Amino acid sequence: MARIFMNQVGFTPDSSKKAVLDFGGTEFQVLNSDGKSVYSGTVQHFGTDEISGEDVSVADFSDFKESGTFSISSNGASSTHFSICNNVYDKLMKDICKCFYYLRCGDALTKEYAGVYYHKPCHMTKATVYGEDTDPVDVTGGWHDAGDYGRYSTAGAVAVAHLLYGVRYFKNLLDVKFDIPKVKCDKGDLPDILAEVKVELDFLKKMQREDGSVWHKVTTFCHAPFLMPEDDKGELFLFHVSSLATADIAAVFALAYSIYKDYDAAYADSLLTASKKAYKWLKDNPDELLFFNAEGSNTGQYDEAEDISNRFWAAASLYEATGEKSYYEDILSQRDRLIDFDSKAQSKGYQGDVFTCLGWAEVAGLGSLSILLKGDDDELTRDIKKRFEGEADRLVANSGKNGFGLCMEAKDFIWGSNMELLKYLMILTVADAKIAHKDAYKEALQSGLDYLLGCNSMDVSYVTGNGEKAYKNPHLRPTAVDDIEEPWPGLVSGGPNVGLQDERAKEVPAGSAPMKCYLDHIDCYSLNEITIYWNSPLVFVMSGILA
Ligand code: G3I
Ligand code: 9MR
Ligand code: ZN
C-alpha cells in the first residue's frame, strides 16, 4: 500500500515542510479539514537510500503558510492529519516535561497532579551499601531511570544537564508550565522546570558519600518483573562509587548552582559546596574508577571506556560557575588527555567529534556547552566553536544522503538511536543559535524533528500521545501493568536498533533496513524503552526551536 510519511504533529508557519512518499508520482495536494485542496505541488523523486531502504519521493510545501489542520494527498494515498500554527508544539513541550514528574520515585506523586497515573510511594526503604559493613543509607527520591526502577547517577546527571543547559541557552524553558506541585523559593515559586529538576538534584545529593565520591547507582540486585513501583519490594543496593559518577555530579551541581542562585541562594550554595567536594575527591584520586556490575547483578551498568570526558566536563562546569583559574588549567590538561585517548581508541563509544558528544557516556560536549556559555575570547573557545560548526556541517551533509533529510547514518541506528538523533539536533541547535546561523542547520533540525514525529519509514511518531500514529507500547513497567489504555503522553522511544538486542526484537524481518529495525512492543527494551535522558535532549531542542 502506498504511504505518505510525515510529521504527524505539524509545523510552525515559517518552517520548512515536507512529506515523504514511498511511491513515485507527479502531483500532491494539501487538503484542509473539509477535504478541499488548498495547495498543490510537484513531487520530487529522490531514489533509494541506505537507511530506509525505500525508493522515496518528496513533497515540499514549505511556502504554504496558512494556519489550520491539514493532510497531504497524492495518487489516492493520504497522510495523517497535521497542524500548522504558531503554537503547534505547545502540547508536545508540556508533555515531554511532565514525564519527569510521572517518573518520580518515593512519595512525591499526588493524585491532584498525577491523575490516573498516580502510584503509591515506592522505594522508601534505606539502601544497603553493597559489599560494605556500614549502616544502610536513605537515598529516597529522584526519578526512575527508564522502563526499569533503577536510579543511576550518571544517567540522572546527564538528563538534568540537558534540561539545565536548555535553561541557560534558551530562557523560554523557564516559562513552560506543566502542572506540577509548586515549590517555594526566595522569589515566590520556582519555575516548573526548576522545581522538577530539584527533585533529581536532591536525590543526587544523597548519592554523595561523606568523602565527596558518588555511588554509581541504587537498584535492586536484578531488574524487577513487570509490576507497579510500590510493589517492587526487593532490597535496594548502593553499588560502588565511580569517578564517572563523581565527575558528572561535580559538573551538574556547578551548572545548577549558576541557575538556582537567582532563586534560592542557600540551596545554590549547598550545590556548589557539594560540587567542590566531589571535585576535590577527583583531584585526590586521579586514577579512573570505572564501573562494572557486581557478579550476578543485571541492572543497568552504564559502563564507560574512560573518565576523561567526565573530568573535562567537571572542570569546565566549575570554571564557568566560578571563573577560577585552576579549573581552566584542568580543562586544558583533560583536553590533551582526551585528544590522546581518542587518537588511540580502537572502538569508539560515539560517532563524530568527541568534544561535541552530549552523553550519557561521552560527556565532553556538555563541558563544551559550559565553555561556550563562559564565552572567553581564547583558543579553547574558538576551538570548541570550530568543532561544533564542523560537526553541524557534517550532519547537514548527511541529511542530503537520504530522502528524509535525516542527519543520521546507518551506524547511528543502535540502542537508543533516537538519542543519537537528538544529540545531533542539540549540536545543530547550538551551532545555529550561538555559533553560525545557517538556513541549512534549521532545515536539518526540522527534518530531524519530522523524523521523530512520524516522517520515517515505520510511519510512527516516537513520542507517545503526539501524532495520530504515535507508538503506544513503551517498555515501561507501570504502563505494562496499570490497565490504562494510553501510556503517559510525551515519552520518547529508544527507536530502531539494528542490534535487535532482546528476544521479541527477533521478530523484526531479517534484512530490514536500519530505520525499520523497530517494533512497538512492550517487551522490546532494546527498541522501545523510554529513559529520562532520551526525553531531556528533546526538551533542549524544543526550547531552541521555540526560542
Ligand atoms: O559503543 C559502541 C559503538 O562502538 C558501536 O559501533 C555500536 C554498535 O554496536 O555500539 C556502541 O555501543 C552501544 C552502547 O549502548 C553505547 O551507545 C551498544 O551497542 C548498546 O548495546 C548500548 O546500549 C545501552 C544499553 O543500556 C545496554 O547497555 C544503551 O545505550 C543504554 O541507554 C541502555 O540503558 C538502559 C540501562 O542500562 C537500564 N535502564 C534502561 C536503559 C535504557 O534501555
Ligand atoms: O526492563 C529492563 C530494561 O529496563 C533494561 O533496559 C533491560 C536491559 O538491561 O533489561 C530489562 O529487564 C529484563 C531483564 O534484563 C531480563 N529479564 C526480562 C526483563 C524485562 O523484560
Ligand atoms: Zn520508586
Side-chain angles (χ1 to χ4, degrees), residues 147-148 223 226 298 415 475 477 525 529:
D148 65 319
H223 284 304
F226 278 1
N298 77 350
W415 190 323
H475 181 86
R477 280 168 173 68
Y525 50 82
E529 192 166 352

Side-chain angles (χ1 to χ4, degrees), residues 283-350:
K283 295 289 279 185
D284 293 344
N285 295 271
D287 293 338
E288 65 185 14
L289 186 50
L290 304 180
F291 188 83
F292 298 99
N293 271 348
E295 175 115 31
S297 167
N298 77 350
T299 54
Q301 184 158 261
Y302 289 115
D303 48 316
E304 300 181 33
E306 39 72 23
D307 72 359
I308 313 169
S309 75
N310 315 71
R311 288 175 189 260
F312 174 83
W313 179 26
S317 186
L318 269 157
Y319 173 61
E320 199 272 325
T322 66
E324 284 169 30
K325 201 86 197 125
S326 63
Y327 299 121
Y328 187 81
E329 282 152 19
D330 289 352
I331 299 175
L332 296 183
S333 65
Q334 297 300 344
R335 178 174 73 159
D336 290 346
R337 289 181 65 210
L338 196 53
I339 289 170
D340 188 46
F341 181 91
D342 194 47
S343 66
K344 290 182 191 141
Q346 294 298 306
S347 158
K348 294 184 182 177
Y350 56 90

Side-chain angles (χ1 to χ4, degrees), residues 89 122 241 271 292-293 367 397 412-413 430 432 445 448 451 467 483 531:
Y89 301 129
C122 59
V241 300
L271 289 166
F292 298 99
N293 271 348
D412 296 323
F413 288 84
V430 170
D432 183 56
L445 250 171
Y451 168 89
D483 288 330
T531 74

Side-chain angles (χ1 to χ4, degrees), residues 105-106 122-123 144 229:
C105 180
C122 59
H123 305 107
H144 297 136

